[in-house]
Amino acid sequence: MATETTTWESLAKAKLDSINESIPTKWRVSETPSIKEQRDVTGEFICKYLSKEEIEITETDAVGIVKKTTKGQWTAEEVITAFCHRASLAHQFTNCLHETFFEAAIEDAKQLDRYYKTHKAPIGPLHGLPVSLKDQFHVKGVETTMGYVGWIGTFQGQKGTGKEKIFESEMVKELRSLGAVLYCKTSVPHTLMAGETVNNIIGYTTNPKNRNLTCGGSSGGEGALISLKGSPAGFGTDIGGSVRIPAAFNGLYGLRPSSGRLPYEGMANSMDGQNSVLSVVGPLSHSVPSLRLLVKSLLSQQPWLYDPLCHQIPWRDDHEKEVLDLIGSSPLVFGILKHDGAVTPHPPVQRAMDTVVQTLEKLGHEIMEWKPPSHKRGYDIIITTWMYDGGLDVHQALALSGEPMAPQVSITYGNEPSQEAKASKIAATNVAKREYQKEYMDYWNSTRNLTGTGRPVDAIITPVAPFAAARPKRYRYYGYSNIYNTLDYPSCVIPVTKVDKKVDVVDQGFTPVNGLDRLIGGDYDPDIYDGAHVAVQLVGRRLQEEKVLALAEHISGAIASSK
């Protein structure tokens, strides 16, 4: 615990000061507008601080950037410098960064440029692509605090390990080998176990499109940064929705792959060793092709040779081609889940779901109401796994400095640890999970008898959350996202629309199904939510990431064409 002379407050302030001081003076904004003065800091607002050349670079998606950098049309140095500038602005408007290492990144970019000049070829498919990382990744030269004051100056809370600022996570090594340029790590809620991003170091990370709302969590800093185009692509993690929630709340595409598809080896985490429902790493970006670029590139590194939990499954072009052939020759069938039986989505989310259904019907696809086994059972299973240790891990991490737990986290973990689960309960939970997964699988298989194609449903479309984004301290339900962690199904977020207060009015006939539903329904205010991003998620079967991305691209393209 911190001493009287080094309180957690003083440690947190010193760390925050170092983060803010790492932003070059020339990129500092003299005065940051209040939320009332400037609700939306995206688009034209942030661009007024950038040069024409910087705007051209940073408004280009990841696929477009590598088309330029791998052909020598843009240098890696000019690209990373533009994104370092825009990331600096993003942080000043939303509190989205935990670590910056701009000088090291620019030097790495210069080395890539020298390589290209010498060999007349890129070092890899991500040559010169800036990639941001959630503050769970260990990167040489910088700390990993994961939002904990007690982790400052340590390696995951421990001193004298010899790993401090030296050790690198497996994916970090692979990204470097592919030619990516790493330059910052983004904010998280301490413990990682919240749909809002808040900690005692950087405070609260806001939603850049509507700063009345949260950016999501726990990969919230990634969501805010990429939404402001301070990064073209980045990686977060997901154990209950932590990639998908920030993607949805910030108008981005985000992929939650099945466990073991991408390497997690060597990353910091909460509740490490809880293996009933594993956290997974996944990308966020501005387009489906950008997600595909990142996943395909990483799999080319054969991560299963370096991560014992990574499946030996390379990128499967034939799986993708199979989907594309189906799209061109036969209607697809989508299961539609508009209400999970527990919480009613807000009006903008309902409209987004209706928009997707109408788009699919116009394309000639078949729509089927999704009536799976009770989602409450799956929800209860994953919540049980989060409490195996009674919250001991997260309480001990907070106790290192004596800092208080954020209320967004204490809603789950309380003010002190509770009783730990016995081995028999853990075993029983694992059995319950397996049986639930089997029952859900059987239901999915049975839909072949209900579709007009003779095939089971191709994918599910469902909300990511009951709201477009949560209001601060009001993220009360994770059932729409964490059910697919229980099932270990891959899911891709698809942005659909924005809240329009003139269209998305309060439903005067709303009848809540329970007290929680009444509480969440009462949080909706069209004036507060106006302008916020609204998204849905497309869910596929386990380890079918290629199919999920192909279908997401098909649907997102159709939505864009219909606008």
Side-chain angles (χ1 to χ4, degrees):
M1 182 176 288
T3 65
E4 290 184 7
T5 55
T6 57
T7 63
W8 73 260
E9 292 96 338
S10 64
L11 291 170
K13 184 181 183 302
K15 181 64 178 178
L16 177 60
D17 289 345
S18 73
I19 295 168
N20 293 334
E21 289 167 6
S22 73
I23 295 173
T25 305
K26 61 182 178 181
W27 292 342
R28 296 179 190 174
V29 176
S30 58
E31 189 173 349
T32 303
S34 68
I35 294 174
K36 186 175 180 180
E37 292 171 324
Q38 190 66 43
R39 173 188 291 206
D40 180 358
V41 293
T42 65
E44 291 182 3
F45 180 80
I46 193 171
C47 283
K48 69 183 182 181
Y49 297 93
L50 301 165
S51 69
K52 181 180 177 181
E53 293 75 20
E54 288 173 323
I55 292 171
E56 180 186 5
I57 290 171
T58 54
E59 293 283 322
T60 304
D61 77 353
V63 172
I65 289 170
V66 297
K67 282 182 180 177
K68 296 279 191 179
T69 54
T70 57
K71 295 178 181 176
Q73 295 172 357
W74 284 348
T75 66
E77 182 182 0
E78 66 181 326
V79 171
I80 192 58
T81 302
F83 276 102
C84 287
H85 185 188
R86 193 152 179 164
S88 297
L89 296 170
H91 175 67
Q92 292 172 82
F93 299 144
T94 63
N95 294 334
C96 61
L97 299 181
H98 275 187
E99 302 287 342
T100 69
F101 34 106
F102 297 155
E103 291 183 6
I106 291 170
E107 183 54 42
D108 288 344
K110 288 179 180 178
Q111 291 182 21
L112 289 172
D113 290 336
R114 288 192 286 270
Y115 181 95
Y116 191 93
K117 185 176 181 180
T118 301
H119 297 87
K120 307 301 180 187
I123 200 168
L126 302 184
H127 182 101
L129 179 68
V131 173
S132 52
L133 300 170
K134 182 179 186 177
D135 192 24
Q136 280 182 263
F137 290 85
H138 292 296
V139 178
K140 191 179 298 184
V142 294
E143 289 186 326
T144 301
T145 67
M146 219 169 73
Y148 287 127
V149 176
W151 281 22
I152 296 170
T154 73
F155 181 80
Q156 299 181 183
Q158 295 183 319
K159 295 183 177 180
T161 66
K163 294 181 177 180
E164 293 86 345
K165 295 187 178 183
I166 295 174
F167 180 82
E168 289 203 317
S169 304
E170 178 55 37
M171 187 180 285
V172 170
K173 299 174 187 177
E174 294 175 5
L175 287 168
R176 292 191 193 280
S177 296
L178 291 161
V181 182
L182 311 177
Y183 63 113
C184 64
K185 295 205 294 177
T186 52
S187 57
V188 301
H190 59 208
T191 78
L192 307 176
M193 303 304 290
E196 300 174 60
T197 294
V198 58
N199 61 61
N200 294 315
I201 299 173
I202 55 94
Y204 196 90
T205 304
T206 55
N207 187 312
K209 188 65 180 175
N210 183 335
R211 293 195 293 162
N212 290 308
L213 306 172
T214 180
C215 64
S218 60
S219 311
E222 282 298 308
L225 178 66
I226 299 171
S227 179
L228 280 165
K229 300 186 177 178
S231 169
F235 284 92
T237 61
D238 193 314
I239 196 174
S242 293
V243 164
R244 291 161 291 152
I245 291 165
F249 290 5
N250 293 284
L252 304 172
Y253 296 85
L255 176 69
R256 180 229 178 256
S258 293
S259 60
R261 194 70 205 270
L262 293 178
Y264 207 104
E265 175 67 21
M267 291 173 60
N269 204 1
S270 287
M271 304 176 298
D272 194 16
Q274 182 283 106
N275 288 353
S276 295
V277 178
L278 291 170
S279 176
V280 300
V281 61
L284 299 87
S285 195
H286 297 286
S287 66
V288 175
S290 295
L291 300 181
R292 183 184 294 111
L293 170 69
L294 292 167
V295 173
K296 194 171 182 178
S297 297
L298 281 167
L299 293 179
S300 73
Q301 298 296 291
Q302 298 182 297
W304 47 86
L305 296 178
Y306 312 100
D307 182 341
L309 297 184
C310 198
H311 300 303
Q312 188 172 338
I313 306 176
W315 179 265
R316 298 164 297 191
D317 289 309
D318 57 323
H319 283 221
E320 187 176 25
K321 183 178 183 301
E322 181 182 335
V323 176
L324 297 176
D325 289 344
L326 272 179
I327 290 172
S329 62
S330 169
L332 299 171
V333 185
F334 293 91
I336 305 298
L337 181 73
K338 292 186 176 183
H339 195 302
D340 71 350
V343 174
T344 306
H346 285 176
V349 180
Q350 294 181 34
R351 179 167 64 85
M353 287 293 295
D354 290 341
T355 297
V356 173
V357 168
Q358 292 162 11
T359 300
L360 292 171
E361 289 177 335
K362 287 179 182 178
L363 292 170
H365 298 310
E366 185 180 337
I367 299 301
M368 192 190 94
E369 184 180 358
W370 192 248
K371 299 178 180 180
S374 166
H375 274 204
K376 184 181 184 304
R377 284 171 51 207
Y379 179 84
D380 290 344
I381 288 168
I382 191 170
I383 296 299
T384 298
T385 70
W386 292 353
M387 295 302 297
Y388 277 165
D389 72 344
L392 182 65
D393 176 67
V394 299
H395 281 285
Q396 286 180 336
L398 292 164
L400 290 171
S401 67
E403 64 179 309
M405 180 182 285
Q408 290 90 340
V409 179
S410 62
I411 192 173
T412 301
Y413 289 101
N415 296 319
E416 59 184 23
S418 58
Q419 185 174 358
E420 296 186 51
K422 294 181 179 179
S424 57
K425 182 175 180 179
I426 294 172
T429 302
N430 288 335
V431 171
K433 184 194 75 166
R434 186 181 70 236
E435 290 176 345
Y436 183 73
Q437 289 175 325
K438 170 60 174 167
E439 188 176 338
Y440 214 100
M441 177 187 289
D442 289 343
Y443 168 72
W444 197 320
N445 290 338
S446 74
T447 61
R448 66 165 56 92
N449 301 317
L450 304 173
T451 66
T453 64
R455 299 189 314 273
V457 160
D458 291 291
I460 311 164
I461 305 290
T462 177
V464 178
F467 22 68
R471 294 168 66 177
K473 297 183 181 179
R474 300 193 191 191
Y475 207 131
R476 301 182 174 101
Y477 182 67
Y478 296 92
Y480 282 99
S481 58
N482 69 16
I483 184 68
Y484 302 111
N485 296 84
T486 303
L487 293 163
D488 199 21
Y489 287 169
S491 170
C492 184
V493 172
I494 304 172
V496 178
T497 186
K498 297 180 181 68
V499 178
D500 183 336
K501 65 181 180 180
K502 296 178 181 178
V503 176
D504 302 310
V505 297
V506 173
D507 180 5
Q508 298 299 332
F510 168 58
T511 303
V513 298
N514 54 48
L516 179 61
D517 195 21
R518 179 183 297 108
L519 198 62
I520 291 174
D523 287 339
Y524 180 63
D525 183 323
D527 289 318
I528 291 175
Y529 272 89
D530 192 43
H533 290 290
V534 194
V536 301
Q537 60 182 328
L538 181 145
V539 181
R541 291 191 160 198
R542 189 166 177 270
L543 296 168
Q544 289 190 348
E545 287 76 20
E546 293 89 347
K547 181 174 183 177
V548 165
L549 290 175
L551 291 174
E553 185 171 17
H554 173 59
I555 294 172
S556 64
I559 292 170
S561 298
S562 66
K563 291 181 180 179

